[in-house]
Amino acid sequence: MKIPVGSGPVRLSLVESEDEESVRTVVRTLLADRCASDDVAAASDGRHGLSAPLWRSLAVDLGLAGLLVPEEAGGAGAGAREAGTVLEELGSAVAPVPFLTSAVIATSALVHLMSAESADQHAVRDTLAAAASGGSVLTLLLPWSTDPSGPVFTVREEPDGLRGEATPVAGADAGTFLVPALGADGAGLWLVDRAAVQVTPAVALDMTRPLATVRLDGAPARLVVRGPAAEEAVRTGLLTGAGVLASEQVGLAQWCLAETVSYLTVRRQFGRVVGGFQAIKHRLADLHIAVEGARAAARYAAATLADEPDDAPVAVAVAASVCGEVAVRAAEECVQLHGGIGMTWEHPAHLRLKRAVADQVALGTPVRHRARLGGLVGIVPDGECR
């Protein structure tokens, strides 16, 4: 069953539309059936091949691989709001799938080029169509810590092909890499097949989102676009990614809060339910307020990306500044308030803590986004806020 997507414009609101609610329900149902915490833990340890079949269900059966791809290119024609809804659910389940790296970041960069006259439209549309069908997984070849205003050229264009490396790269098991590179003729954006690169796995805290070093030694490539449009497309992908990553962090934080509340309402200590102690109530109330504030920031970022792109840089910087820290706090509270069981590998809290900490440095740290925000709103020059 394909997810339903409306055809009309979405009002800039923090309230979920009927389409978003439908998307959430469908994704949540599938994850509940095929992405249990035990399976995620086994997959992160290499004991369970969860990623490929789960991604096939999400990408093909639900059509999520083409969620942001326009209908004329074979996709669903949805926007960042729907992508944010999907990532809330994927973050809650810590699903080991390349939705963020492929269906959001790389896809957004290519969709941006559909309106660029200088781009090879055949390459753009063919690549988007393959990704939307679930037949190809894409990755933007940049270090996973790159923020929307950071340096985006780590690869050089040489006479014999592309040379250089990026590390650590998330989603490096992709079939096609979207590679920004600098050459004698200026900046360019290239398509490179996996067979033409060297991929070396890297140690990752969160094994549900593996990292790798990707090296190109004279790799053959197909030019997509050259000139300023290349960098604009890359930064569009990174901005969209950072904006909806906040939704993933909110989903993770909400799971931690709900799981902790559920546990503390049945766990007894000193003859009383632990959740009845006033100090515990205060901690949970404070965490609830923080999670709801983060949710508002994340939804506003997704809404501006979809409908008010001029406001998106500020909204994304705010969301990225807040949501990463809230997710880590929620995961830490989840581990601590579960007591001894929360410290074990048998309880899924550690999966959320690892993802939360790893997400906090993905696509720019909160400190870096606050520095960028200061420059965007004119408080301090960009980069001086620490």
Side-chain angles (χ1 to χ4, degrees):
M1 179 177 67
K2 298 289 185 179
I3 59 172
V5 177
S7 58
V10 179
R11 181 169 54 89
L12 189 59
S13 168
L14 303 188
V15 179
E16 280 193 343
S17 67
E18 291 184 3
D19 285 338
E20 291 168 62
E21 291 177 357
S22 297
V23 169
R24 183 183 301 280
T25 299
V26 172
V27 175
R28 180 177 294 179
T29 300
L30 184 141
L31 292 175
D33 182 51
R34 305 186 188 182
C35 191
S37 290
D38 289 345
D39 292 335
V40 175
S44 66
D45 293 340
R47 296 180 284 113
H48 190 294
L50 174 66
S51 299
L54 179 60
W55 176 240
R56 193 177 307 112
S57 296
L58 289 164
V60 180
D61 297 345
L62 299 188
L64 292 182
L67 187 66
L68 299 183
V69 177
E71 293 181 4
E72 61 267 30
R81 292 181 63 118
E82 289 83 2
T85 299
V86 171
L87 274 165
E88 272 195 49
E89 296 304 314
L90 295 180
S92 177
V94 203
V97 293
F99 179 78
L100 178 59
T101 52
S102 179
V104 175
I105 299 175
T107 293
S108 295
L110 287 174
V111 169
H112 179 79
L113 292 176
M114 290 182 66
S115 59
E117 295 182 359
S118 57
D120 181 346
Q121 292 299 322
H122 290 294
V124 171
R125 291 174 183 270
D126 289 348
T127 305
L128 284 174
S133 69
S136 176
V137 177
L138 310 175
T139 289
L140 183 60
L141 189 63
L142 285 174
W144 189 223
S145 59
T146 305
D147 70 83
S149 63
V152 297
F153 295 104
T154 62
V155 174
R156 307 178 310 278
E157 178 192 350
E158 302 287 355
D160 62 342
L162 301 181
R163 293 187 176 275
E165 72 173 29
T167 187
V169 176
D173 55 349
T176 302
F177 290 92
L178 192 59
V179 184
L182 281 177
D185 296 326
L189 195 59
W190 305 75
L191 293 173
V192 179
D193 290 336
R194 179 183 174 84
V197 305
Q198 302 172 16
V199 178
T200 305
V203 176
L205 173 64
D206 173 25
M207 291 306 295
T208 63
R209 182 171 279 151
L211 302 175
T213 297
V214 180
R215 183 170 183 81
L216 297 88
D217 288 317
R222 180 178 181 180
L223 180 64
V224 178
V225 67
R226 190 185 295 282
E231 183 172 347
E232 290 174 6
V234 172
R235 296 202 184 279
T236 296
L238 292 173
L239 184 68
T240 305
V244 296
L245 173 62
S247 294
E248 175 179 292
Q249 293 164 331
V250 167
L252 186 153
Q254 179 59 50
W255 183 94
C256 292
L257 175 61
E259 185 72 13
T260 304
V261 170
S262 177
Y263 175 76
L264 293 178
T265 56
V266 297
R267 177 73 169 91
R268 301 184 69 86
Q269 189 75 31
F270 306 113
R272 292 180 57 185
V273 173
V274 175
F277 289 99
Q278 190 174 37
I280 299 297
K281 289 180 179 180
H282 287 174
R283 286 174 67 170
L284 293 175
D286 289 344
L287 184 58
H288 172 74
I289 292 171
V291 171
E292 290 306 306
R295 189 191 313 280
R299 288 187 177 175
Y300 184 69
T304 57
L305 284 166
D307 302 312
E308 298 289 346
D310 290 343
D311 295 337
V314 170
V316 169
V318 170
S321 299
V322 172
C323 296
E325 294 180 344
V326 170
V328 171
R329 176 183 170 188
E332 290 174 342
E333 290 281 47
C334 182
V335 170
Q336 187 174 30
L337 291 176
H338 272 78
I341 188 64
M343 304 293 178
T344 67
W345 288 89
E346 286 75 15
H347 194 277
H350 72 94
L351 297 171
R352 275 73 185 182
L353 180 58
K354 291 173 182 175
R355 172 65 69 89
V357 173
D359 275 359
Q360 196 176 30
V361 297
L363 301 174
T365 64
V367 171
R368 176 56 195 148
H369 284 287
R370 280 194 287 271
R372 183 164 169 264
L373 178 61
L376 289 169
V377 300
I379 296 176
V380 293
D382 187 19
E384 291 189 8
C385 179
R386 294 290 186 266

